[in-house]
Amino acid sequence: HSVSYGWQGDLSSVGCPATLVDSIDVDFAALAARGITIIFSSGDSGSGMPKKPDCADTSQYLEDTAVVGSDAMSYPWVKTAEQCCSEASGWDYPAWTFEPGNCTLYWQASGTSPRAGAKSGGDAVVPRVPKLWPNWPASSPFVTAVGATGFTASVGSPERASKWFGSGGGFSWTEGGAQGYQREAVEGYLAANAASLPPQGSFPPEGRATPDVAALGEGFQVVVDGGHVTDGGTSASAPTFAAIVA
């Protein structure tokens, strides 16, 4: 059985507590015990999605400080710093400054300057450590997660991790540690890539690691209404791997 996608984020935020995840894992384990292999695509959004900032947390603000930046947008109807932060978060602006009577959002911030009465924030001003969430249920230890690859050059050349999209993967906050069969590979990966990994605290290196395997997911040829269409994604690589092991 091959399934595309699940939820990429904090499961508790969508009404799925840890007890429910554990219950579903029991069901997956029961199916595995009956010889049923469940294969999930690992997702196309990279290693995880950082949580939006908590705009009520004033520790994320710089007091008496204004952003120096460009590509700005002004919102004169915004009444509080918290509302200004929410506007910036909602539109993915990395920096903002609130002064009584005006909220300014910035696409680019080159620095800050003192300004009495102003409050500023955003990840470009007060960097947060992101919390990366891999796709679930692909991160369950009782399913097989499939990532995607692409050819390094022409068709038939060696393959590498997809560059067309963020072939999903990462380390689970809620599922157990690396499986025995993958522990050596995971430890080797962490050691070899220590300098380029996300910041400490953004992922649990001891968590369940995904994907388990990968297959071609770029330039995937499908037939639609009698014609060939080029597509891609882990929704292509997952059923390919399922067909190989069927």
Side-chain angles (χ1 to χ4, degrees):
H1 298 268
S2 175
V3 184
S4 287
Y5 306 136
W7 174 255
Q8 191 164 14
D10 183 354
L11 290 167
S12 64
S13 69
V14 290
C16 186
T19 52
L20 181 55
V21 173
D22 291 342
S23 175
I24 294 172
D25 275 346
V26 169
D27 291 336
F28 284 149
L31 291 171
R34 297 179 63 181
I36 298 174
T37 300
I38 304 175
I39 294 172
F40 273 91
S41 62
S42 65
D44 297 344
S45 299
S47 62
M49 296 182 177
K51 184 180 178 181
K52 294 290 187 179
D54 178 4
C55 289
D57 180 4
T58 57
S59 68
Q60 299 180 30
Y61 302 172
L62 294 182
E63 302 281 349
D64 296 321
T65 302
V67 171
V68 177
S70 58
D71 295 329
M73 180 71 70
S74 293
Y75 291 77
W77 58 87
V78 172
K79 303 300 182 184
T80 66
E82 183 175 341
Q83 290 177 341
C84 189
C85 170
S86 296
E87 289 287 344
S89 174
W91 294 102
D92 292 327
Y93 280 85
W96 56 268
T97 291
F98 174 77
E99 298 176 270
N102 194 47
C103 166
T104 307
L105 311 183
Y106 298 87
W107 278 123
Q108 296 185 18
S110 57
T112 60
S113 63
R115 186 177 301 172
K119 297 180 181 180
S120 297
D123 285 344
V125 178
V126 185
R128 296 176 301 134
V129 174
K131 191 170 186 178
L132 303 178
W133 300 87
N135 201 292
W136 181 88
S139 57
S140 168
F142 302 105
V143 306
T144 300
V146 183
T149 63
F151 294 120
T152 55
S154 59
V155 173
S157 64
E159 297 176 33
R160 42 90 181 121
S162 173
K163 293 184 178 179
W164 281 17
F165 51 86
S167 179
F171 295 82
S172 175
W173 293 93
T174 57
E175 302 287 3
Q179 307 303 291
Y181 62 84
Q182 63 175 194
R183 186 169 293 113
E184 182 178 352
V186 170
E187 291 175 352
Y189 168 81
L190 292 173
N193 296 279
S196 59
L197 291 172
Q200 186 176 6
S202 63
F203 72 98
E206 72 284 352
R208 151 83 162 136
T210 53
D212 298 294
V213 296
L216 184 67
E218 288 183 5
F220 207 85
Q221 301 300 300
V222 296
V223 176
V224 179
D225 294 332
H228 284 88
V229 177
T230 299
D231 206 346
T234 53
S235 288
S237 58
T240 296
F241 183 77
I244 292 172
V245 300

